[in-house]
Amino acid sequence: MKDKLGKYLLIGVGVVVAVVVLDKLIKRFTKPAIPEGFSKLNMDLVLSKGSTGDEVSELQRILVDNYGANLGLTGVDKNGVDGQFGSLTEKALLDNLKVKQISLKELLTKK
């Protein structure tokens, strides 16, 4: 009975490892589709320190939601999403993506 339990445990671990590896490969080799709500934004606009507007707000939202960036306590939700590309946004972009400027299109297709 111990042999069967060990065999099933080994198979279970193998399945979990295979699923994790497959998930990472899929994420690495697929580019995300541009979400529907982005159609009103200028996806090619290069955002950098001093930029303002909805594109900057979306950049900040992605930095906060996807990268856990701390952009301060400004904005409606007090999470730093305020549409103003300042020092904290620049630092978060540099820390997480190693760039000081980026377009939303580049951000969404970065691996």
Side-chain angles (χ1 to χ4, degrees):
M1 181 149 164
K2 281 189 174 183
D3 289 338
K4 278 189 173 183
L5 182 61
K7 190 183 294 184
Y8 290 133
L9 185 60
L10 187 59
I11 290 170
V13 169
V15 168
V16 169
V17 168
V19 168
V20 169
V21 169
L22 186 60
D23 182 57
K24 288 186 183 265
L25 285 172
I26 288 171
K27 286 180 182 174
R28 184 175 186 182
F29 292 112
T30 57
K31 291 184 180 180
I34 295 174
E36 196 174 304
F38 282 57
S39 62
K40 295 178 182 166
L41 299 175
N42 182 348
M43 301 300 288
D44 296 314
L45 179 65
V46 176
L47 304 171
S48 60
K49 193 169 182 180
S51 298
T52 60
D54 292 338
E55 290 82 4
V56 174
S57 293
E58 193 55 44
L59 167 66
Q60 291 171 326
R61 192 170 294 107
I62 292 168
L63 287 170
V64 169
D65 293 347
N66 297 358
Y67 296 94
N70 178 5
L71 301 179
L73 300 174
T74 59
V76 176
D77 295 328
K78 304 293 183 209
N79 61 356
V81 178
D82 61 5
Q84 307 285 325
F85 195 129
S87 298
L88 291 176
T89 302
E90 184 180 58
K91 181 179 180 338
L93 196 56
L94 190 58
D95 289 349
N96 291 290
L97 298 166
K98 310 300 183 225
V99 296
K100 285 189 171 188
Q101 60 182 24
I102 197 166
S103 70
L104 289 176
K105 184 186 284 183
E106 290 174 308
L107 179 63
L108 292 174
T109 57
K110 256 200 183 307
K111 292 184 180 180

